[in-house]
């Protein structure tokens, strides 16, 4: 499954990343919607949820995220909805880990 989130706050560290594998971080913008896919091995086999998917959060609750490969790139987002069938666009599409 996938979860859509709206980016609320992004640290300046996302824009200051110049490694080849972190170029995607420069395209993150506050207010944008991102799509995050839950698949193995991040999927917990008992609960059938990915840790951090915000399934227990209240409406408009701010949730924290951090990018892999750059500890200075993190921020907050709000869960919009869960999608049982993933149709995430290739841009602004991520995986839970």
């Amino acid at each position: 499954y996938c979860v859509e989130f709206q980016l609320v706050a992004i640290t300046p560290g996302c824009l200051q990343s110049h490694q080849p594998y972190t170029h995607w971080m420069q395209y993150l913008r506050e207010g944008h919607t991102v799509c995050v896919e839950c698949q193995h091995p991040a999927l917990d086999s008992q609960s059938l949820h990915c840790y951090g998917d915000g399934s227990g959060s209240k409406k408009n609750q701010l949730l924290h995220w951090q990018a892999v490969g750059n500890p200075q790139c993190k921020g907050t987002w709000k869960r919009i909805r869960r999608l049982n069938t993933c149709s995430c666009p290739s841009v602004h599409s991520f995986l839970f880990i």
Side-chain angles (χ1 to χ4, degrees), residues 54 56-62 78-80:
S57 65
K58 297 181 178 83
K59 189 175 174 86
N60 292 325
Q61 182 177 347
L62 291 181
K78 289 190 279 190
R79 180 184 167 112
I80 298 172

Side-chain angles (χ1 to χ4, degrees), residues 3 6-7 14 24 31-32 40 53 68 71 82:
V3 181
Q6 180 182 30
L7 294 170
C14 297
W24 62 269
H32 279 189
H40 297 286
D53 73 355
V68 174
R82 174 181 166 153

Side-chain angles (χ1 to χ4, degrees), residues 40 42-49:
H40 297 286
L43 179 67
D44 180 60
S45 59
Q46 293 186 348
S47 70
L48 297 178
H49 285 279

Side-chain angles (χ1 to χ4, degrees), residues 1-2 8-9 12 14 20-21 32 35 41 46-47 51-52 58 60 65-67 88-90 92:
Y1 69 93
C2 291
V8 176
C14 297
Y21 59 87
H32 279 189
C35 185
Q46 293 186 348
S47 70
Y51 177 74
K58 297 181 178 83
N60 292 325
W65 59 268
Q66 180 175 335
C88 297
S90 57
H92 300 129

Side-chain angles (χ1 to χ4, degrees), residues 7-80:
L7 294 170
V8 176
I10 301 166
T11 59
C14 297
L15 300 175
Q16 299 165 350
S17 191
H18 301 294
Q19 300 297 328
Y21 59 87
T22 60
H23 279 217
W24 62 269
M25 295 176 191
Q26 298 175 26
Y27 300 103
L28 295 173
R29 296 288 181 268
E30 292 174 0
H32 279 189
T33 298
V34 295
C35 185
V36 187
E37 189 170 347
C38 178
Q39 57 179 239
H40 297 286
L43 179 67
D44 180 60
S45 59
Q46 293 186 348
S47 70
L48 297 178
H49 285 279
C50 273
Y51 177 74
D53 73 355
S55 60
S57 65
K58 297 181 178 83
K59 189 175 174 86
N60 292 325
Q61 182 177 347
L62 291 181
L63 306 168
H64 296 269
W65 59 268
Q66 180 175 335
V68 174
N70 179 0
Q72 276 71 45
C73 183
K74 52 190 167 187
T76 56
W77 57 17
K78 289 190 279 190
R79 180 184 167 112
I80 298 172

